[in-house]
Amino acid sequence: MTHAFLMQRTELTQAQWGELVELNPSGPSPEYPTAPAGTHNDCLQPNCPVGNVNWWEAAEFANRLSAKEGRQQCYLLEGCHGTVGGGDGADFECETFEQATESIYDCGGYRLPTKVEHEYAARAGTRTAYYSGDLPDEYAEECVRLLPQLDAIGWYCANAEDRTHPVASKMANRWGLYDILGNAAEWRHNRPVMPDPGAAPWTDPFGETGNGISTSDAHEIGGGSMFLSPAFLRSAGRSALDATTRYPGIGIRLVRSLQEGE
């Protein structure tokens, strides 16, 4: 990695979202709007992570924050329609996007982290499953007994009661990052396809993002979430969803490449 970067200490909160977007998408699953309280829901408090955000909205929010601070917008979104925040069921989505710079690492504004950045930040110099310790095989899918080293750092299926919680209420990693494992899952910049690098080292890998991604393509999410088992919260864990997907416990953590002189 040749580009230093800054990362939010916490997941984007509903209060931070509300500074730039009128509608708060957080709440019950859109697929199950009458779900009982505590069943795959986002907590509705200013200091809880914003949830039910799709990838297009995450990119749009990053652009808005960049514009507010006079920075370069990293995502050139085209053919967009709908309402950011999902007002009246008109979900915000776009036909395509292009990166403002050939390498996303060269963009000076806010953006979503790549898989490599997200895992690097989550590990904070560690090589274990979590920054607090390893994952015994017998606990991989365990949602009844608490795994102490995971309970200390993140909200997951055994302690979250199927809902998100206020940010920074668990132990941070050694770099001061909270909830990077558990609580809300976090959208990443790249698509889920990353060829096997083999034995040779890579420089600034980011996956096969390319330009002109359609709404039918998936993007990675990382960090696991409040209703997933320990196996999904590993620092190296990843999964992917279509860019239009909304679900409680899917949110945002922004990064920005450090610029010369900063």
Side-chain angles (χ1 to χ4, degrees):
M1 298 173 64
T2 65
H3 292 69
F5 64 96
L6 303 172
M7 174 177 273
Q8 285 187 289
R9 288 184 178 272
T10 69
E11 293 155 336
L12 189 78
T13 66
Q14 292 169 40
Q16 291 170 323
W17 172 270
E19 293 176 3
L20 297 178
V21 182
E22 181 178 359
L23 297 176
N24 182 357
S26 306
S29 167
E31 290 82 6
Y32 305 101
T34 59
T39 304
H40 289 188
N41 287 340
D42 295 311
C43 65
L44 297 176
Q45 298 178 30
N47 62 339
C48 286
V50 66
N52 274 322
V53 178
N54 69 31
W55 189 91
W56 296 109
E57 290 174 320
E60 170 65 15
F61 184 90
N63 277 351
R64 291 188 184 189
L65 184 57
S66 297
K68 177 183 177 181
E69 297 187 5
R71 303 183 187 277
Q72 181 181 22
Q73 296 185 29
C74 296
Y75 298 101
L76 306 179
L77 304 176
E78 299 180 357
C80 300
H81 54 87
T83 305
V84 178
D88 300 321
D91 286 354
F92 180 81
E93 58 185 86
C94 305
E95 295 178 2
T96 62
F97 87 91
E98 292 185 358
Q99 297 170 177
T101 52
E102 182 175 358
S103 169
I104 194 63
Y105 296 117
D106 290 330
C107 182
Y110 292 98
R111 56 179 174 80
L112 301 173
T114 64
K115 183 250 190 290
V116 174
E117 288 174 322
H118 195 274
E119 180 178 344
Y120 177 79
R123 290 190 179 282
T126 63
R127 293 181 177 269
T128 48
Y130 317 115
Y131 56 84
S132 57
D134 256 324
L135 170 62
D137 290 342
E138 63 269 25
Y139 279 99
E141 302 301 328
E142 183 62 75
C143 286
V144 179
R145 295 174 298 170
L146 285 176
L147 179 61
Q149 59 265 46
L150 187 50
D151 180 46
I153 67 171
W155 298 105
Y156 71 114
C157 64
N159 65 4
E161 299 181 339
D162 278 340
R163 61 184 176 87
T164 54
H165 292 259
V167 300
S169 53
K170 292 286 187 177
M171 184 179 75
N173 68 15
R174 67 175 66 177
W175 292 347
L177 301 174
Y178 294 90
D179 300 306
I180 197 164
L181 304 178
N183 212 15
E186 300 164 14
W187 283 111
R188 291 173 175 171
H189 172 78
N190 54 282
R191 293 175 65 186
V193 179
M194 182 177 286
D196 182 0
W202 279 15
T203 300
D204 295 331
F206 65 94
E208 293 184 341
T209 306
N211 293 331
I213 305 302
S214 72
T215 55
S216 63
D217 286 315
H219 285 263
E220 279 195 1
I221 55 176
S225 72
M226 78 286 192
F227 62 86
L228 293 177
S229 62
F232 287 93
L233 272 70
R234 296 176 301 111
S235 296
R238 59 174 174 166
S239 55
L241 291 170
D242 187 90
T244 60
T245 301
R246 291 179 179 275
Y247 206 75
I250 298 181
I252 309 170
R253 186 187 301 259
L254 297 178
V255 300
R256 181 170 66 80
S257 293
L258 202 59
Q259 302 300 296
E260 186 176 353
E262 288 188 297

